[in-house]
Amino acid sequence: MKYLYYPGCSLEGTALEYNASTQTFMQELEVDLLELKDWTCCGASAAEATSYLLSLALPAYILAMAEEMDGTKEILVPCSACYLNLKKVEEKSRKDPELLDKINTILKEKKLHFHGQVRVRHLLDVVARDIGPAKIFSRVKNPFIDLKIAPYYGCQCLRPYSIFDDPEEPRSMEPLIEAVGAKIHPWNMGGRCCGASHMTTKPEVALELVTAILKAARGADAIVTVCPMCQMNLEAYQKKICGKSKEDLRMTILYLPQFLGLAMGLSEQDLRLDLNLSVTKEFRNKL
Amino acid sequence: MSPAEKIEIKQRSETAPEPVIDSLATIRDMVSACIQCGTCTGSCPNAFAMDLTPRQLWYNVLMGEKETIFHSKTFSLCSVCYCCTLRCPRGLPLTETMSALKQIAAKENLAPYKKSIQFYKSFMESVRRHGRVREMEFMTLYFLSMKNPFMLLKFAPLGMKLMGKGKVSFEFPSKGNGALESIFRKVEELEQR
Ligand code: SF4
Ligand code: SF4
């Protein structure tokens, strides 16, 4: 198996451990990742809030660069915000030739042309459908039979394009978590919004959303995520949230490849668990 | 010019200026089939904090009530979760409509939305300069543009933690290699037509 790889800006900064664990995990499963050369930012949520055309031009530039690469036409993206931005261009340009023309007028500045031939894949999609639970099961070295996990999907890998999961009641992580022996924490918050960038501009609102998620996760040993923004919102403000709600809502938050990787016997160093902001003592004792 | 001045935003009057009216017509088309059922409101995780519910916002868009729309916090409280878009029985592109309103507010630098506008513009400025966002530069540009040292203090504990883990490093805003300059320029040119 082979994919082009677009890490995106967060994975070079606040989500370094998502990058490291994705690469180690894929390597262990003999999946080749070919990182895009000189990749640029997809515009995150900021481009769309300032200019519609820019919010399509930036990801189109990335996809056009991907088309220039040899070997495969599938591009793997771990960050849900990047994934949606890239996916949006893939979907829209296929349905709207006029828009595609406009995009290519812009890309001419970079002497590139976008043909619409690459397929954008979220990391979760690839792990759940291409790799699959059976292969992961066959690699398990430390079965996590004592752990109960709350799968958290967030928004943008599920909506508006429902490619690999039910956008209302997502389940795609469950067979993967069960493949390593762990149980699923029953909850209906897996696809609820974490508030995204509101955490910086409207913290009172985002804190409310995250508090509700952490409360619903009580009883689980960890929440597993597939997006740097969700991960940060869920892990970085727990102290404040516990203080405000006067409850112990501390919770371990891990990226999916970190969690699966641990069960497959990959080391904490390789998965960069040291970079996570919330791994509780109770969780460590159960490992 | 210092980097902070470069992204300085001039505060305009509280009233929405003329060009807003034109772009509002396009936005009205996006929601013209709305039947006011309220599914969007019921689906929105941020509705509790909004002054107008999403359904009420669409009503005001249909009525062309630009004063009400651009004094309301509602569209700036959209966190782009796509729940409303997924569930609207008329299949309307509601999340994109929220974003279209954000785009007008950003273009016109409307005062009530200063914080979000500066946040997004600081982000895009860092991307424009370097091709990729530099998280610390972006936050520095943002705090500088807000001229509010208390915001920096609020962010400091997390910033320090992230620096301690080697995830971000302090950097002064710099000019960069302009990797995306030509794309930004071309987009601006096309948008002005
Ligand atoms: S869900 Fe759709 S039709 Fe119903 S009120 Fe909202 S926008 Fe209108
Ligand atoms: S996309 Fe925006 S308006 Fe729609 S439900 Fe989500 S937060 Fe609310």
Side-chain angles (χ1 to χ4, degrees), chain B residues 40 43-46 50 54 77-84 95 98:
Chain B
C40 46
S43 309
C44 181
N46 297 299
M50 292 170 171
L77 275 162
C78 167
S79 55
V80 199
C81 77
Y82 287 93
C83 285
C84 54
T95 314
M98 290 286 182

Side-chain angles (χ1 to χ4, degrees), chain A residues 266-277:
Chain A
L266 298 172
S267 75
E268 288 195 21
Q269 290 91 306
D270 285 346
L271 298 167
R272 297 307 308 264
L273 232 62
D274 59 310
L275 294 181
N276 291 53
L277 300 180

Side-chain angles (χ1 to χ4, degrees), chain A residues 39 41 51 92 110 168 274, chain B residues 87 96 131 165 179 191:
Chain A
W39 56 265
C41 175
S51 153
K92 280 189 191 285
K110 289 285 187 187
E168 294 275 6
D274 59 310
Chain B
R87 292 185 187 161
E96 278 189 13
K165 298 228 178 222
E191 281 178 336

Side-chain angles (χ1 to χ4, degrees), chain A residues 164-232:
Chain A
F164 61 91
D165 208 338
D166 181 334
E168 294 275 6
E169 284 177 48
R171 309 285 301 258
S172 56
M173 265 195 256
E174 295 184 13
L176 301 167
I177 293 169
E178 284 164 345
V180 302
K183 289 181 198 61
I184 307 295
H185 173 71
W187 72 340
N188 57 7
M189 300 296 264
R192 282 288 286 210
C193 184
C194 72
S197 61
H198 283 359
M199 199 51 100
T200 314
T201 52
K202 300 172 177 67
E204 42 333 312
V205 180
L207 285 172
E208 190 110 0
L209 302 182
V210 174
T211 306
I213 294 167
L214 291 177
K215 276 190 180 167
R218 261 185 307 209
D221 294 296
I223 297 178
V224 166
T225 70
V226 287
C227 169
M229 182 88 86
C230 303
Q231 173 80 19
M232 175 71 98

